[in-house]
Amino acid sequence: QVQLVESGGGLVQAGGSLRLSCAASGSIFSIDAMGWYRQAPGKQRELVATITSGTSTNYADSVKGRFTISRDNAKNTLYLQMNSLKPEDTAVYYCNAQARIATMPYRYLEVWGQGTLVTVSS
């Protein structure tokens, strides 16, 4: 059993910053890749950034240079530092992880958090 809980969302003005956190808990055997996704009103969920169990990262073009994804493997926590926020960044941000649990270490489970709302005003 693995659970992801996001936090850090809120209301900010354009140009401001927020730091999102995603804490993983449960009978974790290992966590491979993790990522942040977002879904704006009336739009489909899209990839924001991903990070491997190491330090390899990937970003959507729309957030490159503004967002930074990182993780603390010892704490099983994922972060997303968001700077220079724009109104178009407004969305529910979801944490995702590819994890293996102790009872089934032979297969990956894809786990999603419930999301945290980020609202950027003009």
Side-chain angles (χ1 to χ4, degrees):
Q1 298 276 344
V2 179
Q3 296 183 89
L4 301 178
V5 180
E6 302 97 334
S7 62
L11 173 64
V12 298
Q13 292 186 316
S17 299
L18 281 176
R19 190 191 192 201
L20 305 183
S21 297
C22 171
S25 62
S27 55
I28 301 170
F29 178 79
S30 66
I31 297 178
D32 193 358
M34 299 187 79
W36 287 99
Y37 295 74
R38 67 186 182 186
Q39 187 166 20
K43 296 183 178 180
Q44 295 186 331
R45 188 173 300 185
E46 64 178 355
L47 172 69
V48 175
T50 60
I51 186 169
T52 66
S53 58
T55 58
S56 180
T57 59
N58 185 58
Y59 298 90
D61 289 339
S62 60
V63 306
K64 286 182 178 178
R66 300 188 298 121
F67 291 9
T68 301
I69 188 171
S70 62
R71 63 191 292 174
D72 185 332
N73 292 332
K75 297 180 179 179
N76 286 326
T77 302
L78 178 72
Y79 304 97
L80 183 67
Q81 179 65 47
M82 305 185 293
N83 298 324
S84 302
L85 284 163
K86 304 175 181 179
E88 49 264 46
D89 293 320
T90 295
V92 175
Y93 284 71
Y94 298 91
C95 176
N96 172 266
Q98 293 176 312
R100 285 188 280 189
I101 59 177
T103 55
M104 294 193 295
Y106 55 90
R107 62 180 294 181
Y108 280 105
L109 296 177
E110 188 166 355
V111 186
W112 291 89
Q114 292 186 317
T116 184
L117 178 63
V118 172
T119 302
V120 184
S121 62
S122 301

